[in-house]
Amino acid sequence: MKILVTGGAGFIGSHTVAALQQAGYDVVIADNFSNSKPAVLENIRKITGRDFKFYETDVTDTASVEKIFAENKIDGIIHFAGFKAVGESVELPLKYYSNNLQSTVVLADACIKHGCNKFVFSSSATVYGDNDIPFAETMPLKKTTNPYGETKAINERILTDTANANKGFNVALLRYFNPVGAHESGLIGEDPQGIPNNLMPYIARVAKGTLKKLSIFGNDYPTKDGTCIRDYIHVMDLAEGHVAALAKMPQGVSVYNLGTGKGISVLELVTAFEKANNLTIPKKFAPRRAGDLAEYYADASKALRELGWQTKRTVEDCCRDAWRFEKNNSK
Ligand code: UD1
């Protein structure tokens, strides 16, 4: 089976390529390095000892995508490529809507034309909006809090409508909770450009001394210690969730939460990082960040029931692996 992975040089994409190759899949990567580096590709090869075909391509471009499908018999696609900075999406909504939606339209169209009948989409728990917890796939979705989240919700609808109109075209919508950690080798991991928006890479850079102090956004939420609660999932568990979804993909449209099923607070994550790595993270409390929900985590039972997948790695594994990657990384 040959799988096209868009955004395969990115954080979740690169780990998923490694997991796919280790499970015996042939991989073709398309990435335009808009938020990743070419060196990642060599590091994936070092991890798996296997090669893949690479296209430096913007997947919003129909002709470039057509070329990939013409040159390779693609059996399935995992679509990660997309912009993902929540704050930037509020400032530049059209950048997000044009890029994140156009790519899905172009790729789904190529799949239909070329008889590729498996489409796995990189969605997010953000599509649940401010909903009851734990988030379950059966819940009606509520309004998302920003254009980035809205592109995830609209892409889910684009793919659902396309699958409904094209019998045999099967779609798995994977809703990620908070991916963190890095490959156990320390060779690939999360490497955001500039100042990180997300919590774990920010902690890792404070640990390294690249950033001075962690600001914890809000300590007056209605939670056990006043800080927000999230479901942090090790990126390799997440990557293996994609392999399971490809292997066991039902007919038509299916939706799966990929999370641990457990929520922990910002303070608990920081403490776990300090303990796992035997260091201290300078931190201070700061005002709440606009758009943050107090608490959410996954009901992860459907993926276990239908895909036979559940997370294996602990919060300590997440913290140790994130730090190993940050230390190894030359910045
Ligand atoms: C965000 C996105 C989510 C996306 C995910 C990628 C929304 C509302 N959220 O999730 O869709 O899939 O990123 O991982 O669209 N925090 C701090 N200090 C920091 C950074 C974060 O205290 O410097 C706190 C935040 O307030 C939050 C928690 O850490 O409570 C996690 O934040 P973050 O890593 O940015 O993820 P989310 O906002 O949960």
Side-chain angles (χ1 to χ4, degrees):
M1 282 257 283
K2 191 170 275 188
I3 308 300
L4 172 62
V5 181
T6 73
F11 174 41
I12 307 172
S14 58
H15 292 79
T16 301
V17 170
L20 285 168
Q21 289 195 313
Q22 275 158 348
Y25 287 94
D26 265 350
V27 175
V28 175
I29 297 180
D31 201 300
N32 65 356
F33 299 126
S34 74
N35 192 27
S36 59
K37 295 182 187 136
V40 171
L41 302 178
E42 210 34 60
N43 287 333
I44 300 173
R45 292 188 182 103
K46 273 190 206 152
I47 289 170
T48 64
R50 292 188 56 188
D51 205 2
F52 44 75
K53 217 161 163 184
F54 174 72
Y55 289 85
E56 186 168 347
T57 287
D58 182 335
V59 291
T60 62
D61 182 56
T62 308
S64 308
V65 169
E66 189 52 42
K67 180 170 163 20
I68 298 174
F69 276 80
E71 291 179 0
N72 303 275
K73 166 84 189 76
I74 302 292
D75 300 298
I77 169 163
I78 308 184
H79 179 30
F80 293 104
F83 297 140
K84 61 168 189 178
V86 172
E88 185 190 47
S89 79
V90 176
E91 305 291 317
L92 301 170
L94 294 178
K95 173 176 172 178
Y96 277 67
Y97 285 117
S98 63
N99 184 71
N100 291 7
L101 302 182
Q102 176 71 3
S103 57
T104 303
V105 171
V106 167
L107 291 163
D109 192 44
C111 283
I112 307 280
K113 272 195 199 127
H114 292 271
C116 162
N117 60 12
K118 286 174 193 260
F119 196 116
V120 176
F121 178 62
S122 171
S123 190
S124 166
T126 197
V127 300
Y128 288 106
D130 192 355
N131 228 315
D132 298 334
I133 44 173
F135 291 170
E137 294 89 342
T138 45
M139 285 176 169
L141 303 182
K142 294 205 176 160
K143 204 188 155 346
T144 59
T145 55
N146 56 75
Y148 153 78
E150 204 51 28
T151 66
K152 293 295 183 192
I154 298 172
N155 270 325
E156 288 199 359
R157 296 202 292 274
I158 290 173
L159 290 167
T160 300
D161 290 343
T162 306
N164 289 340
N166 294 274
K167 206 171 170 346
F169 178 62
N170 306 312
V171 170
L173 307 172
L174 305 185
R175 294 178 180 159
Y176 314 152
F177 284 70
N178 286 56
V180 293
H183 191 269
E184 288 82 355
S185 64
L187 287 168
I188 54 174
E190 188 169 13
D191 190 13
Q193 292 174 6
I195 296 176
N197 297 306
N198 298 115
L199 180 59
M200 186 65 107
Y202 204 105
I203 294 174
R205 289 198 185 165
V206 171
K208 194 161 185 184
T210 321
L211 293 168
K212 287 268 162 301
K213 198 178 261 196
L214 171 71
S215 291
I216 295 178
F217 300 139
N219 63 341
D220 57 352
Y221 284 99
T223 59
K224 53 191 163 187
D225 61 21
T227 66
C228 291
I229 292 184
R230 294 288 182 274
D231 182 338
Y232 296 94
I233 171 173
H234 194 292
V235 64
M236 282 311 296
D237 279 330
L238 186 61
E240 288 160 12
H242 290 75
V243 177
L246 259 185
K248 300 241 174 98
M249 207 159 147
Q251 296 289 310
V253 181
S254 49
V255 185
Y256 297 102
N257 284 342
L258 298 183
T260 68
K262 281 200 297 276
I264 65 163
S265 74
V266 174
L267 270 178
E268 284 173 327
L269 186 70
V270 177
T271 305
F273 190 96
E274 292 179 324
K275 269 204 188 142
N277 298 312
N278 196 25
L279 43 76
T280 304
I281 301 296
K283 52 186 169 294
K284 63 168 192 228
F285 291 117
R288 290 181 177 195
R289 187 174 70 177
D292 278 342
L293 296 174
E295 174 171 8
Y296 63 85
Y297 51 90
D299 173 341
S301 59
K302 187 182 177 201
L304 176 59
R305 211 165 48 241
E306 295 191 7
L307 304 177
W309 171 90
Q310 63 185 332
T311 59
K312 292 191 262 192
R313 295 157 181 91
T314 63
V315 176
E316 288 67 37
D317 294 331
C318 292
C319 294
R320 204 195 43 235
D321 293 339
W323 176 227
R324 186 188 296 113
F325 174 73
E326 189 65 33
K327 266 191 304 193
N328 284 357
N329 211 0
S330 59
K331 259 188 318 317

